[in-house]
Amino acid sequence: MAGQGQGQRLTVVPTVTVMGMIKARLAAATRGHALLKKKSDALTVQFRAILNRIVASKEAMGDAMRSASLSLAEALYVAGGPLRHIVQQSVSGPARLRVRAHHDNIAGVRLPRFEHFLVDDGARAPLLAGLAGGGQQVSASRAAHVRAVELLVELASLQTSFLTLDEAIKTTNRRVNALEHVVKPQLENTVAYIRGELDEQEREEFFRLKKIQAVKQRELERQVEAAKLYAVEKVAGEVALKRGVSLGAAASMLENGGGERDDDIIF
């Protein structure tokens, strides 16, 4: 358990400055986690919306391709074999239906978006097949294929955005999980460790100060006792000098309060 606790925190020196730095990192990690969580939610909402649009586009794409195939079969049936040569001869130059790319910004993620547009050059001669040559069926087939290409471009745009969003969501979720389960617990455990060490140091300092105060108090009491003893010995010496007795006898007289009172000695 001690090894696991050691691995769940950073190896730092337990000081107040370091704790302030770790707290700042923890606050930044908390803000980053909240922002990344919001970003993940926004991307997930957009991801689901694009998924629904892809499903609808694929259904519409199936109908459009079926209609285009049927219209082509009708035109070939009505016009016959020469229609292929007529269409090929009428096609010259670049295509009228073109595609251009844009980018949409969703929560900081650039999503590619394709859009189709028609170029009206006016120089191309229209296809003249006539009613007998199946002109109406050819025009309907062309419109059906244009619709199919438009849906195909839209589906390609949605599919590309779908894959980009999927990768972005995975990356964001990995960052969210790393902050939530690795970075933040490490920083929180580090702050708790530093706080515990600082509290322990404070208790040790308080105990040390109490011991120093007790030693100083005992030293003061010893000095007071020594001063009192010195004062007694000094007075006893003066008494001994005046009465002509020994120093021990004078000290005994001062302690017992006996003996005759000498008016010359003022206590």
Side-chain angles (χ1 to χ4, degrees), residues 150-200:
E150 292 175 352
L151 289 175
L152 185 62
V153 172
E154 181 181 358
L155 183 59
S157 177
L158 292 175
Q159 285 285 119
T160 307
S161 298
F162 180 83
L163 295 177
T164 306
L165 271 180
D166 183 51
E167 189 63 29
I169 288 174
K170 289 180 181 178
T171 303
T172 304
N173 287 337
R174 283 196 295 267
R175 292 176 179 175
V176 170
N177 292 332
L179 286 173
E180 183 176 358
H181 300 292
V182 178
V183 177
K184 288 181 63 178
Q186 278 188 349
L187 296 177
E188 290 172 354
N189 292 338
T190 304
V191 170
Y193 162 73
I194 295 176
R195 184 178 290 113
E197 290 295 322
L198 291 178
D199 292 341
E200 184 67 23

Side-chain angles (χ1 to χ4, degrees), residues 5-7 24-26 32-33 56 68 72 78 93 100 129 141 144 152 176 181 184 194 207 218 220 235 254 261 267:
Q6 178 71 20
R25 290 178 59 182
L26 179 59
H33 176 266
L72 179 60
V78 173
R100 56 189 168 202
S141 177
L152 185 62
V176 170
H181 300 292
K184 288 181 63 178
I194 295 176
F207 180 76
R218 288 196 298 269
L220 180 62
V235 172
L254 289 174
R261 183 179 181 83
F267 294 98

Side-chain angles (χ1 to χ4, degrees), residues 21-148:
M21 295 172 58
I22 298 298
K23 282 185 176 181
R25 290 178 59 182
L26 179 59
T30 303
R31 289 194 301 269
H33 176 266
L35 292 176
L36 286 176
K37 190 67 175 176
K38 292 180 180 179
K39 178 181 178 179
S40 178
D41 295 340
L43 293 179
T44 303
V45 171
Q46 188 68 19
F47 181 80
R48 292 175 180 173
I50 290 178
L51 180 60
N52 294 331
R53 291 176 61 188
I54 286 176
V55 173
S57 296
K58 285 187 175 181
E59 294 177 355
M61 187 68 193
D63 297 337
M65 293 300 293
R66 184 169 52 252
S67 300
S69 299
L70 290 175
S71 64
L72 179 60
E74 291 177 357
L76 290 176
Y77 177 76
V78 173
L83 177 63
R84 298 178 183 271
H85 303 288
I86 296 174
V87 172
Q88 290 177 358
Q89 292 175 1
S90 65
V91 175
S92 62
R96 293 183 58 202
L97 183 61
R98 301 181 185 180
V99 179
R100 56 189 168 202
H102 297 280
H103 287 89
D104 292 334
N105 194 336
I106 305 297
V109 178
R110 290 171 60 85
L111 299 180
R113 179 171 60 87
F114 307 131
E115 85 176 352
H116 56 82
F117 63 99
L118 289 173
V119 177
D120 189 9
D121 51 7
R124 182 175 304 174
L127 176 62
L128 299 176
L131 293 177
Q136 184 176 1
Q137 284 76 13
V138 171
S139 298
S141 177
R142 181 176 61 183
H145 280 82
V146 168
R147 174 60 180 164

